[in-house]
Every structure is written in structure tokens, then in C-alpha cells.
């Protein structure tokens, strides 16, 4: 809705209509932030407009949107494939024995988690 520009040499903030060009030290603000703008103590504010109106779409905006849609429609969809595991990444065999159950088939506890003994174990 508005463009904010600092003039550091003059300790001045200029708040004006939305800029149509990109400036390295200019910041675009929405209407809420443009209305609530505060500046450092000792700085001046120059408001070039008191009511900020949204800019209407330009031909450049519409052309850029159309180009983006065309580009997206040209992209070939990539098919998802499962990740390949290296042959050496197979899980290691279990070589240890579980301890005897503590209570009702419970063989271990850590915090609120517990390990239960299965039917065939």
C-alpha cells in the first residue's frame, strides 16, 4: 500500500504511494503498518499521501502471472521412487536376549514408555 524510504543524512523518513520500481533502500508496507508508522526520536516523517490505495494490476503483472502459469504447465511431473538402500545397510541381526518380565509381561521401562514381552518371546 505504501513505500517507506529512509534519508539517513537528513534523519527523515519518507512515506509515499507504493513504488512501481525496485529501490535498494525502500520498503513496501501494508496499510496497517503505514498508518502505525513510528520513527526514532528526533527524526522527521514526510507523508506524501494520507490515504493509501492499492495499486491496480499493471500489464506487467498480468504478463508475469501468465508466464508463470505457462512455465508451470510445461514442467514434466517427476515420479516418486522409493529410496535405494546400499547393500551394506541391511539391519543387523538381534544377538541379545531380553531380560525377564518385571510385571504383567513388562520387561523394561523408560519414563512413560514400557517394553512388553511378546507371545513367542
Amino acid at each position: 500500500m505504501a513505500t517507506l524510504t529512509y534519508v539517513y543524512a537528513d534523519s527523515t523518513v519518507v512515506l509515499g504511494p507504493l513504488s512501481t520500481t525496485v529501490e535498494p533502500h525502500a520498503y513496501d508496507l501494508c496499510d496497517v503498518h503505514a498508518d502505525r508508522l513510528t520513527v526514532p526520536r528526533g527524526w522527521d516523517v514526510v507523508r506524501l499521501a494520507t490515504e493509501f490505495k492499492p495499486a491496480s494490476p499493471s500489464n506487467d503483472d498480468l504478463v508475469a502471472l501468465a508466464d508463470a502459469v505457462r512455465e508451470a504447465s510445461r514442467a514434466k511431473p517427476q515420479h516418486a521412487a522409493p529410496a535405494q538402500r546400499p547393500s551394506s545397510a541391511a539391519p543387523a541381526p538381534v544377538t541379545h536376549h531380553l531380560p525377564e518380565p518385571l510385571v504383567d509381561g513388562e520387561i523394561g521401562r523408560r519414563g512413560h514408555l514400557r517394553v512388553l514381552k511378546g507371545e513367542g518371546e
Side-chain angles (χ1 to χ4, degrees):
M1 299 299 273
T3 297
L4 169 79
T5 307
Y6 289 103
V7 182
Y8 293 99
D10 298 333
S11 298
T12 303
V13 173
V14 179
L15 187 64
L18 191 62
S19 178
T20 57
T21 59
V22 177
E23 298 291 332
H25 299 289
Y27 305 93
D28 294 336
L29 302 177
C30 67
D31 57 343
V32 173
H33 287 100
D35 290 337
R36 295 182 181 177
L37 174 72
T38 59
V39 297
R41 191 172 288 172
W43 282 56
D44 295 318
V45 178
V46 176
R47 292 182 184 268
L48 300 177
T50 56
E51 290 187 27
F52 300 103
K53 298 175 185 162
S56 59
S58 68
N59 286 342
D60 292 340
D61 294 336
L62 297 175
V63 169
L65 179 60
D67 289 343
V69 169
R70 271 191 223 102
E71 187 64 30
S73 68
R74 286 186 197 137
K76 294 181 181 178
Q78 296 178 356
H79 297 288
Q84 297 295 323
R85 258 190 206 191
S87 59
S88 64
V94 177
T95 57
H96 66 279
H97 297 286
L98 297 173
E100 291 301 314
L102 302 173
V103 177
D104 295 329
E106 184 178 312
I107 57 173
R109 180 178 283 270
R110 183 172 185 160
H112 67 282
L113 302 175
R114 53 191 185 146
V115 179
L116 300 177
K117 188 172 185 175
E119 290 178 20
E121 299 175 299

